[in-house]
Amino acid sequence: SSGAEAPSAGAPKARASMKLSVLSYSFRGLLGEGKMDVFGYLESCKYRYGLGAADIWTGFLTSTDDAYLKKVRGALRERELELADLCADNCHIWEDNPDARKKNRENALAYLKAANILGARFMRLDAGGRNPTWTNEQFDHIVRQYKEYAQWAYDHGFKMGAENHWGAEGVWANLKKLYLAVDHPGFGLSCHIGGWQGTPEEQAEADRLVAPWVCHTHFAWNITEGPLEEKMRNLRDAGYQGYYSVEHHSGENEYAEVAIQLARVRAVFDRWRSGES
């Protein structure tokens, strides 16, 4: 025997989940005004907000060239920041136009390589399909591509997957079907909490049911001002090991608004530490 005492059942989950980040999309207003770039974002994560992780939206990356990505990786390491997530746009799998599908595939492969260079834990890549459901052709194509991408990610030590973001993947039944069909250890889900289609009751049920499969998450303002602790507890109780990331949407007063959202998540962490809930 090592002599170490076994921790209580609740403690490891609580400690493991005390991870906080902010999606760089939250600062897209500053980005658009030329007042922030990816390096300024990383500086803010570390020194303005005291975070241990970053959550990069690809709108902040000006290139997928190795030399540029290695500069970003160096900036992460210099600030001792883990990359919780690379949130990749313009690479969703299904588009009706074959040329668009081909271009998106090229972007997807470039961003998978970028995620590897940057050391991302997870990469979000949307399924595509703008209608509430996928056709059989669309679904089969999406599943095949995800299996390929998930294998590549798995071989390089990270996970990738879909998000309840837009189109068919915003419906819980569709995302569940997709997850079960891909069935790969390199595949997971990014959950925009409360971002589902359907009634409030259906959205709440989806947030609960998806929790065991979630690799990354975002809390928008309506959640951090609303049922935040309930939503965080859904994940914690399912054994979630990822980061709790906040996402701001207004494009205005972003430094202060993000600080408020982060403070609300930290307050939940503090209550968990003190055993109040």
Side-chain angles (χ1 to χ4, degrees), residues 200-212:
E201 293 76 18
E202 289 169 338
Q203 293 171 10
E205 182 181 35
D207 282 336
R208 289 192 300 271
L209 295 176
V210 77

Side-chain angles (χ1 to χ4, degrees), residues 4-26:
E5 291 186 8
S8 65
K13 286 183 180 178
R15 293 195 189 104
S17 62
M18 305 285 181
K19 298 176 178 178
L20 183 62
S21 63
V22 53
L23 181 60
S24 68
Y25 183 82
S26 303

Side-chain angles (χ1 to χ4, degrees), residues 19-242:
K19 298 176 178 178
L20 183 62
S21 63
V22 53
L23 181 60
S24 68
Y25 183 82
S26 303
F27 304 102
R28 72 190 186 286
L30 291 168
L31 176 71
E33 294 173 11
K35 296 178 179 178
M36 182 186 277
D37 62 7
V38 69
F39 301 101
Y41 159 72
L42 296 177
E43 192 78 354
S44 293
C45 287
K46 179 68 175 182
Y47 297 108
R48 181 181 285 267
Y49 300 119
L51 301 174
D55 185 354
I56 296 176
W57 166 56
T58 53
F60 268 74
L61 298 179
T62 61
S63 171
T64 53
D65 290 342
D66 285 7
Y68 169 78
L69 293 170
K70 287 176 181 177
K71 289 179 183 178
V72 178
R73 181 183 66 189
L76 283 159
R77 290 179 175 175
E78 181 183 348
R79 292 161 182 79
E80 298 181 315
L81 294 170
E82 183 170 30
L83 184 55
D85 166 57
L86 181 65
C87 185
D89 279 352
N90 301 313
C91 56
H92 51 276
I93 293 173
W94 183 263
E95 276 287 354
D96 291 340
N97 184 302
D99 291 336
R101 285 203 301 274
K102 180 180 178 183
K103 177 60 177 174
N104 282 7
R105 175 174 167 78
E106 292 171 357
N107 291 341
L109 294 173
Y111 284 134
L112 282 165
K113 292 177 182 176
N116 182 48
I117 291 171
L118 296 172
R121 288 169 50 107
F122 182 81
M123 177 182 140
R124 189 273 273 157
L125 190 160
D126 282 316
R130 301 176 189 278
N131 295 319
T133 58
W134 293 299
T135 66
N136 289 338
E137 177 194 7
Q138 291 170 344
F139 185 74
D140 291 346
H141 178 81
I142 290 166
V143 169
R144 282 197 305 272
Q145 290 286 270
Y146 271 136
K147 283 180 178 286
E148 177 191 341
Y149 296 159
Q151 185 63 52
W152 197 94
Y154 184 78
D155 290 343
H156 291 82
F158 65 100
K159 290 189 175 187
M160 61 79 58
E163 180 182 350
N164 57 326
H165 195 208
W166 54 270
E169 65 186 346
V171 177
W172 163 239
N174 295 340
L175 204 58
K176 177 182 178 181
K177 179 182 175 183
L178 178 65
Y179 182 88
L180 294 174
V182 176
D183 188 25
H184 194 286
F187 185 79
L189 300 176
S190 176
C191 186
H192 180 110
I193 300 297
W196 306 94
Q197 299 176 35
T199 67
E201 293 76 18
E202 289 169 338
Q203 293 171 10
E205 182 181 35
D207 282 336
R208 289 192 300 271
L209 295 176
V210 77
W213 299 341
V214 175
C215 294
H216 189 65
T217 194
H218 302 305
F219 297 99
W221 183 259
N222 64 313
I223 301 298
T224 50
E225 267 207 336
L228 177 63
E229 185 160 1
E230 171 195 334
K231 301 300 186 181
M232 290 175 64
R233 194 184 299 114
N234 285 340
L235 294 166
R236 182 193 68 176
D237 291 351
Y240 178 64
Q241 297 296 308

